[in-house]
Amino acid sequence: MDQVATLQLESVDLQSSRNNREHHTQEMGVKRLTVRRGQLFYLRLSFSRPFQSQSDHITFVAETGPKPSELLGTRATFFLTRVRPGNVWSASDFTIDSNSLHVSLFTPANAVIGHYILKIEISQGQGHSVTYPLGTFILLFNPWSPEDDVYLPSEILLQEYVMQDYGFVYKGHERFITSWPWNYGQFEEDIIDICFEILNKSLHYLKNPAKDCSQRNDVVYVCRVVSAMINSNDDNGVLQGNWSEDYSEGVSPLEWNGSVAILRQWSARGGQPVKYGQCWVFASVMCTVMRCLGVPTRVVSNFRSAHNVDRNLTIDTYYDRNAEMLSTQKRDKIWNFHVWNECWMIRKDLPPGYNGWQVLDPTPQQTSSGLFCCGPASVKAIREGDVHLAYDTPFVYAEVNADEVIWLLRDGQAQEILAHNTSSIGKEISTKMVGSDQHQSITSSYKYPEGSPEERAVFMKASRKMLGPQRASSPFLDLLESGGLRDEPAQLQLHLARTPEWGQDLQLLLRIRRVPDSTHPQGPIGLLVRFCAQALLHGGGPRKPLWRHTVRVNLDFGKETQRPLLLPYSNYRGKLTDEKLIRVSGIAEVEETGRSMLVLKDISLEPPHLSIEVSERAEVGKALRVHVTLTNTLMVALSSCTMVLEGSGLVNGQITKDLGTLVAGHTLQIQLDLYPTKAGPRQLQVLISSNEVKEIKGYKDIFVTAAGAP
């Protein structure tokens, strides 16, 4: 009998186009094979002769990481079988077509993610084997697979939280929420490589590369590593934080339009941290990385967000008798807003019931296990006050639930509690609404309704866990339990008389109503109300006063009075911070008793608006005319104006144009052509910055049709 010729591999077709489409990775391109774990993908192997399953033996080998090991789960060997054997590496369902072998490969839903090398070893009978490289592939998390820990059983939500490559960040103030467009760009060609570069520069990898890679099957581990690597406090992370408002050595956090430019700069400079980021930049870049790796992720804003360093669940703020908010050396603060991420996953490391959305916060506020990272903390655990559960749940709980105690300071001593607010922190927790440009409040996911019996019960439960048994019966906790409302002889309110506009005088209205109290149940009272206005920094701290005013009022029992207040533009011109937020504080002193009352109003000032229009239908490869219009509504010129355009699938990288000076009251009109590269829903982001205003932002949703589509 003639000996059969040795089987030799002649060519391989990784079928990247088909596989990437079926694995929802075609947006990353089809030049490379990019697949998701827990799902079949297909190869065609061409040999020197027909494959004979009885005598030809093929072993597949898949390896990832620096020291692949079957023990660590970074190396898999598996044979050709007729039937797929379950949730393990396998090659099955093969068909023979002349000299070609069509085979289905399966990766388990708990496989390590990463760049893989795929090889086959061919042997005949007991003879020696020959190894052939088949190529490389990238393996990602699979939220479409019911076996994967990141499984999300809704195609609408998958499109939003994995496939959508643009979105919004919500900023400002809980009563004046502004939406900022952001280009996540997770499917831009090089972003997947940069994501793994981030993992490979982490301290865990540098310490023990083989062990770190072996843990990349665990989404909890991966997202903790990413949370630490987006900031640069411990490592060569992606972004350097800066809250000083001096950005002369880098880019202002306000001037970023998206994640792609940041990630590319970090990679191109060998892992040098990019200057500069603040919370919304950190969270948006983390959203890009996690969506790219296949983890459903969204960006969440918490308005009036506590940073409670000593974990006592109260933040103290101080005013003097002239209503000036005082800076403090304490590290505790109330951010005007703070932005973090939520990632969707099963928490096998926790008791049942805590799956779903988990908080991850890449902004460097506190260390966790020695590194500046935060989470994943189960949103359900936060709502129920289960602060003993991993990771960093007490810190996040305080961010949305701490109480605020406002003190009157005299001669450097805290003399009087002006207010104890149990519901002023953790307001309007917001994220982008699914399938819409609007924001959606998700506050009820984090806590029961403010003031409800459930909310106070959860607060006390969390307090006792966080404060410890030795402080569980303290007068402080009794104060928290009571809510601490004071008896006041009058009610004071500050209202805006008209919508505030940057560059215009601000008109306010003070309303005072005399009400009965235990000290003065009847009769008139005299009030001396001292006002102070200060620009607020992002961290909630104040700048020096920019306006002061005093009002004296005599008020009979049961009566109400109004007084107009005017804060001229000349007082705040050139004195606003990045936040464009002014706090007007008033302290009313009761002349008969010397007691004080506090009234506050935060005013958010928006920059001028720009408009973006497109003149015709957008089609891949065809010129698309874009019109950008900006009217300077301020009373001063905008100098050194520059425009930056960005948008995945519409612009390759960024387009930058110098626009010169825009005189007050004048309008700027710009026309330019874009050449879309990808079909489907896209978003164009436009930023115009000047010396006077760093961020005038706008966006346009554009649907791009495929080339030659009818």
Side-chain angles (χ1 to χ4, degrees), residues 455-473:
E455 185 261 340
R456 280 287 106 180
V458 166
F459 189 89
M460 296 315 300
K461 171 182 166 183
S463 302
R464 293 199 156 87
K465 283 178 182 168
M466 289 170 69
L467 298 174
Q470 70 279 8
R471 291 166 69 187
S473 59

mmCIF file of all heavy atoms in Angstrom, residues 455-473:
data_model
loop_
_atom_site.group_PDB
_atom_site.id
_atom_site.type_symbol
_atom_site.label_atom_id
_atom_site.label_comp_id
_atom_site.label_asym_id
_atom_site.label_seq_id
_atom_site.Cartn_x
_atom_site.Cartn_y
_atom_site.Cartn_z
ATOM 1 N N GLU A 455 -34.957 55.672 53.313
ATOM 2 C CA GLU A 455 -33.689 56.383 53.089
ATOM 3 C C GLU A 455 -32.971 56.620 54.412
ATOM 4 O O GLU A 455 -31.771 56.389 54.538
ATOM 5 C CB GLU A 455 -33.969 57.702 52.366
ATOM 6 C CG GLU A 455 -32.708 58.469 51.974
ATOM 7 C CD GLU A 455 -32.360 59.590 52.935
ATOM 8 O OE1 GLU A 455 -33.250 60.046 53.680
ATOM 9 O OE2 GLU A 455 -31.185 60.001 52.951
ATOM 10 N N ARG A 456 -33.705 57.080 55.440
ATOM 11 C CA ARG A 456 -33.058 57.330 56.740
ATOM 12 C C ARG A 456 -32.629 56.011 57.394
ATOM 13 O O ARG A 456 -31.587 55.945 58.041
ATOM 14 C CB ARG A 456 -34.003 58.099 57.666
ATOM 15 C CG ARG A 456 -34.047 59.586 57.390
ATOM 16 C CD ARG A 456 -32.779 60.323 57.843
ATOM 17 N NE ARG A 456 -31.924 60.723 56.732
ATOM 18 C CZ ARG A 456 -30.775 61.375 56.860
ATOM 19 N NH1 ARG A 456 -30.324 61.722 58.053
ATOM 20 N NH2 ARG A 456 -30.047 61.670 55.814
ATOM 21 N N ALA A 457 -33.415 54.958 57.218
ATOM 22 C CA ALA A 457 -33.047 53.658 57.799
ATOM 23 C C ALA A 457 -31.754 53.140 57.173
ATOM 24 O O ALA A 457 -30.865 52.637 57.878
ATOM 25 C CB ALA A 457 -34.183 52.653 57.598
ATOM 26 N N VAL A 458 -31.654 53.269 55.848
ATOM 27 C CA VAL A 458 -30.421 52.842 55.161
ATOM 28 C C VAL A 458 -29.247 53.705 55.619
ATOM 29 O O VAL A 458 -28.138 53.210 55.841
ATOM 30 C CB VAL A 458 -30.605 52.922 53.621
ATOM 31 C CG1 VAL A 458 -29.265 52.819 52.910
ATOM 32 C CG2 VAL A 458 -31.534 51.813 53.145
ATOM 33 N N PHE A 459 -29.490 55.005 55.782
ATOM 34 C CA PHE A 459 -28.419 55.911 56.226
ATOM 35 C C PHE A 459 -27.902 55.492 57.601
ATOM 36 O O PHE A 459 -26.686 55.451 57.839
ATOM 37 C CB PHE A 459 -28.936 57.357 56.264
ATOM 38 C CG PHE A 459 -27.858 58.376 56.507
ATOM 39 C CD1 PHE A 459 -27.155 58.932 55.445
ATOM 40 C CD2 PHE A 459 -27.527 58.771 57.789
ATOM 41 C CE1 PHE A 459 -26.148 59.857 55.659
ATOM 42 C CE2 PHE A 459 -26.520 59.697 58.014
ATOM 43 C CZ PHE A 459 -25.836 60.249 56.951
ATOM 44 N N MET A 460 -28.792 55.166 58.505
ATOM 45 C CA MET A 460 -28.361 54.756 59.842
ATOM 46 C C MET A 460 -27.629 53.416 59.792
ATOM 47 O O MET A 460 -26.641 53.211 60.494
ATOM 48 C CB MET A 460 -29.570 54.673 60.782
ATOM 49 C CG MET A 460 -30.266 56.005 61.022
ATOM 50 S SD MET A 460 -29.110 57.370 61.352
ATOM 51 C CE MET A 460 -28.285 56.754 62.818
ATOM 52 N N LYS A 461 -28.105 52.509 58.966
ATOM 53 C CA LYS A 461 -27.439 51.201 58.791
ATOM 54 C C LYS A 461 -26.004 51.404 58.304
ATOM 55 O O LYS A 461 -25.053 50.839 58.859
ATOM 56 C CB LYS A 461 -28.244 50.372 57.792
ATOM 57 C CG LYS A 461 -27.614 49.080 57.306
ATOM 58 C CD LYS A 461 -28.562 48.449 56.277
ATOM 59 C CE LYS A 461 -27.954 47.347 55.471
ATOM 60 N NZ LYS A 461 -28.888 46.828 54.454
ATOM 61 N N ALA A 462 -25.856 52.230 57.264
ATOM 62 C CA ALA A 462 -24.514 52.501 56.715
ATOM 63 C C ALA A 462 -23.663 53.241 57.738
ATOM 64 O O ALA A 462 -22.460 52.960 57.885
ATOM 65 C CB ALA A 462 -24.635 53.304 55.422
ATOM 66 N N SER A 463 -24.262 54.205 58.466
ATOM 67 C CA SER A 463 -23.508 54.991 59.457
ATOM 68 C C SER A 463 -22.917 54.089 60.525
ATOM 69 O O SER A 463 -21.751 54.214 60.899
ATOM 70 C CB SER A 463 -24.423 56.021 60.129
ATOM 71 O OG SER A 463 -24.992 56.873 59.180
ATOM 72 N N ARG A 464 -23.723 53.160 61.010
ATOM 73 C CA ARG A 464 -23.232 52.296 62.089
ATOM 74 C C ARG A 464 -22.109 51.388 61.594
ATOM 75 O O ARG A 464 -21.173 51.092 62.331
ATOM 76 C CB ARG A 464 -24.394 51.495 62.678
ATOM 77 C CG ARG A 464 -25.382 52.415 63.400
ATOM 78 C CD ARG A 464 -26.303 51.698 64.378
ATOM 79 N NE ARG A 464 -26.754 52.659 65.385
ATOM 80 C CZ ARG A 464 -27.815 53.451 65.248
ATOM 81 N NH1 ARG A 464 -28.537 53.375 64.145
ATOM 82 N NH2 ARG A 464 -28.147 54.301 66.195
ATOM 83 N N LYS A 465 -22.195 50.970 60.335
ATOM 84 C CA LYS A 465 -21.107 50.142 59.781
ATOM 85 C C LYS A 465 -19.846 50.975 59.576
ATOM 86 O O LYS A 465 -18.737 50.518 59.824
ATOM 87 C CB LYS A 465 -21.542 49.524 58.449
ATOM 88 C CG LYS A 465 -22.480 48.350 58.604
ATOM 89 C CD LYS A 465 -22.926 47.809 57.252
ATOM 90 C CE LYS A 465 -23.916 46.664 57.418
ATOM 91 N NZ LYS A 465 -24.576 46.321 56.166
ATOM 92 N N MET A 466 -20.020 52.223 59.100
ATOM 93 C CA MET A 466 -18.852 53.044 58.763
ATOM 94 C C MET A 466 -18.229 53.705 59.989
ATOM 95 O O MET A 466 -17.018 53.876 60.057
ATOM 96 C CB MET A 466 -19.247 54.109 57.736
ATOM 97 C CG MET A 466 -19.518 53.516 56.365
ATOM 98 S SD MET A 466 -20.246 54.672 55.191
ATOM 99 C CE MET A 466 -18.885 55.793 54.890
ATOM 100 N N LEU A 467 -19.056 54.062 60.986
ATOM 101 C CA LEU A 467 -18.531 54.754 62.155
ATOM 102 C C LEU A 467 -18.047 53.789 63.224
ATOM 103 O O LEU A 467 -17.281 54.164 64.101
ATOM 104 C CB LEU A 467 -19.595 55.688 62.738
ATOM 105 C CG LEU A 467 -20.058 56.812 61.809
ATOM 106 C CD1 LEU A 467 -21.213 57.575 62.428
ATOM 107 C CD2 LEU A 467 -18.922 57.759 61.483
ATOM 108 N N GLY A 468 -18.510 52.536 63.153
ATOM 109 C CA GLY A 468 -18.036 51.536 64.105
ATOM 110 C C GLY A 468 -18.879 51.503 65.364
ATOM 111 O O GLY A 468 -19.564 52.467 65.704
ATOM 112 N N PRO A 469 -18.832 50.384 66.106
ATOM 113 C CA PRO A 469 -19.693 50.218 67.291
ATOM 114 C C PRO A 469 -19.393 51.232 68.388
ATOM 115 O O PRO A 469 -20.268 51.641 69.120
ATOM 116 C CB PRO A 469 -19.392 48.778 67.742
ATOM 117 C CG PRO A 469 -18.094 48.420 67.088
ATOM 118 C CD PRO A 469 -18.013 49.204 65.823
ATOM 119 N N GLN A 470 -18.113 51.672 68.504
ATOM 120 C CA GLN A 470 -17.770 52.584 69.591
ATOM 121 C C GLN A 470 -18.437 53.946 69.442
ATOM 122 O O GLN A 470 -18.591 54.681 70.403
ATOM 123 C CB GLN A 470 -16.241 52.754 69.711
ATOM 124 C CG GLN A 470 -15.582 53.533 68.564
ATOM 125 C CD GLN A 470 -15.336 52.683 67.327
ATOM 126 O OE1 GLN A 470 -15.781 51.551 67.245
ATOM 127 N NE2 GLN A 470 -14.619 53.239 66.364
ATOM 128 N N ARG A 471 -18.853 54.283 68.188
ATOM 129 C CA ARG A 471 -19.496 55.581 67.982
ATOM 130 C C ARG A 471 -20.973 55.426 67.624
ATOM 131 O O ARG A 471 -21.626 56.375 67.235
ATOM 132 C CB ARG A 471 -18.770 56.342 66.864
ATOM 133 C CG ARG A 471 -17.371 56.784 67.277
ATOM 134 C CD ARG A 471 -16.557 57.221 66.078
ATOM 135 N NE ARG A 471 -17.051 58.457 65.498
ATOM 136 C CZ ARG A 471 -16.594 58.979 64.359
ATOM 137 N NH1 ARG A 471 -15.641 58.359 63.705
ATOM 138 N NH2 ARG A 471 -17.084 60.093 63.873
ATOM 139 N N ALA A 472 -21.480 54.211 67.769
ATOM 140 C CA ALA A 472 -22.837 53.948 67.287
ATOM 141 C C ALA A 472 -23.920 54.597 68.146
ATOM 142 O O ALA A 472 -25.051 54.707 67.723
ATOM 143 C CB ALA A 472 -23.079 52.440 67.215
ATOM 144 N N SER A 473 -23.584 55.016 69.359
ATOM 145 C CA SER A 473 -24.603 55.657 70.198
ATOM 146 C C SER A 473 -24.224 57.100 70.519
ATOM 147 O O SER A 473 -24.563 57.617 71.570
ATOM 148 C CB SER A 473 -24.777 54.857 71.493
ATOM 149 O OG SER A 473 -23.543 54.799 72.184
#
